[in-house]
Amino acid sequence: MRKNIFSLLFGLSCIAAMPAYANWEYSGTYLGDGWYSDNGSRFVMSVRGGAALGFASIKNDVGALTTEYYYNPGNDMVISAAYYDACVAGGGCDGFIYAGIGETSDLPATKDFQEYSFAAGASLGWTIPNYPQWRVEVGWDHIAEAEYNASPLYEGDLTLTGGDVDGIVIRVQSGSVTSKVSTDIISAMAYYDFFDGIQKPLQKMIPYVGFGIGYANTKTTLNLSDPYGDLSTSVDLQNFGELDDYGVLNFYKSEHDSSNIAGVLAGGVSYGITQTMFLDFGARVAYIPKIKWTLKNADGSRTRDWISAENMIYANIMLGLRFEF
């Protein structure tokens, strides 16, 4: 993905190189006798870097997955069938009754996603002839890896069926995750710079706003574990890990790429250092509808959704340089 991004930016640079070089000193049309008519058109190139805050709602995407539970009315202790079998083998578990079967998919996530990370980006574009307040740019933004860790991953009240006491409600915990997420966004943006005239003023703050749409590619890495014993006994999950000598399922590390349409808003101020170089301080907000974390089997031929980040928002604060030739 990153190689494709750099190839695209290099290609855009080559396309823009000749017209940029032809008017390097002064953008405009030569009229003769040393006079030029400047229409405000400029080739634009920018780089930026800063910090990003990502936040989203984490949703349970497990789907149909049932687990058997045992319950001790004396102390309100709840254990999975796997732990109950181990307990019985050890000669314990007096006072437990069979509580029944519950759907793991009914459990909510214990925490939402909210993490800081590093952000960087670059753009190429043009200011519009005769309307130099407007500029259009094709850009790339990279939001570096951020972590999402939760233990337990899911927790909530489940109403069980088929047990010794039908309809019993118990408090259940399930799973633990350590995971990472990083995102690349290629966007087409339109900006409006608030100034009068053809050339931007020097040594003054020039506010701007921008909006656009883009393509977002998000890479997630999932490490799932089963500290509560409710996942290891599921036949549906046996292909996504290996059982150890104690009957605990060790899940494979799984990677997944999510592709989405992204909406982008921007705002900030620029400061003219020279006629061709501007210091840029701005904020960019990107909206991505859904990012997935999935389980995979050993060879990656089978996948199963596990969690997702819905309505992901990245808010970036970045400082950069913009060149207009």
Side-chain angles (χ1 to χ4, degrees):
M1 175 63 192
R2 295 180 183 176
K3 291 182 180 179
N4 293 335
I5 293 169
F6 288 119
S7 297
L8 175 62
L9 293 178
F10 178 75
L12 291 171
S13 298
C14 293
I15 293 172
M18 292 307 296
Y21 178 77
N23 296 315
W24 194 265
E25 294 282 340
Y26 192 93
S27 180
T29 302
Y30 181 63
L31 301 179
D33 297 330
W35 292 91
Y36 286 82
S37 174
D38 187 4
N39 61 12
S41 177
R42 305 286 191 271
F43 169 63
V44 179
M45 179 175 61
S46 64
V47 292
R48 52 190 175 271
L53 170 63
F55 49 95
S57 299
I58 298 296
K59 301 298 182 182
N60 183 335
D61 282 349
V62 170
L65 186 68
T66 58
T67 303
E68 293 182 301
Y69 294 97
Y70 288 80
Y71 172 66
N72 189 329
N75 56 17
D76 289 331
M77 186 175 181
V78 177
I79 57 176
S80 65
Y83 281 178
Y84 179 80
D85 292 342
C87 187
V88 170
C93 286
D94 292 337
F96 278 87
I97 63 173
Y98 179 57
I101 299 173
E103 283 281 353
T104 305
S105 59
D106 292 338
L107 295 172
T110 57
K111 59 182 288 190
D112 287 331
F113 179 86
Q114 183 173 325
E115 293 293 333
Y116 290 95
S117 61
F118 174 76
S123 300
L124 297 173
W126 292 267
T127 57
I128 304 300
N130 301 314
Y131 300 93
Q133 288 77 18
W134 286 98
R135 51 189 164 93
V136 292
E137 298 181 10
V138 175
W140 161 70
D141 286 284
H142 173 70
I143 294 91
E145 278 189 344
E147 295 184 349
Y148 175 76
N149 305 323
S151 183
L153 173 60
Y154 302 130
E155 182 176 13
D157 294 331
L158 281 185
T159 301
L160 306 185
T161 59
D164 294 342
V165 180
D166 194 33
I168 189 172
V169 179
I170 62 172
R171 189 75 174 177
V172 172
Q173 296 175 321
S174 178
S176 176
V177 296
T178 59
S179 71
K180 295 181 179 179
V181 54
S182 61
T183 300
D184 290 285
I185 302 174
I186 297 177
S187 59
M189 299 286 296
Y191 295 92
Y192 186 84
D193 295 294
F194 292 90
F195 74 98
D196 292 325
I198 295 297
Q199 291 187 340
K200 292 182 176 67
L202 297 180
Q203 299 178 357
K204 289 186 178 181
M205 294 293 183
I206 306 171
Y208 67 85
V209 293
F211 60 91
I213 192 169
Y215 164 81
N217 179 266
T218 303
K219 180 180 179 180
T220 55
T221 302
L222 176 65
N223 291 285
L224 177 65
S225 58
D226 184 24
Y228 305 99
D230 58 312
L231 305 177
S232 298
T233 56
S234 172
V235 176
D236 294 338
L237 299 180
Q238 299 302 309
N239 289 322
F240 300 102
E242 297 180 357
L243 290 171
D244 62 18
D245 294 338
Y246 301 97
V248 176
L249 186 60
N250 295 309
F251 291 93
Y252 300 122
K253 179 181 178 181
S254 302
E255 295 182 350
H256 180 73
D257 287 315
S258 298
S259 298
N260 287 277
I261 296 295
V264 184
L265 296 176
V269 294
S270 61
Y271 182 83
I273 301 173
T274 68
Q275 288 185 351
T276 59
M277 184 168 64
F278 297 83
L279 188 65
D280 190 305
F281 179 75
R284 298 167 72 89
V285 177
Y287 169 78
I288 301 174
K290 189 172 186 176
I291 295 171
K292 292 183 179 181
W293 286 259
T294 66
L295 293 178
K296 289 188 177 180
N297 62 355
D299 62 6
S301 60
R302 293 188 58 188
T303 63
R304 178 171 185 148
D305 294 345
W306 203 254
I307 57 175
S308 64
E310 294 190 351
N311 300 318
M312 172 70 84
I313 293 177
Y314 284 113
N316 307 339
I317 300 294
M318 290 190 283
L319 181 65
L321 284 176
R322 188 172 75 248
F323 301 91
E324 299 185 4
F325 304 108

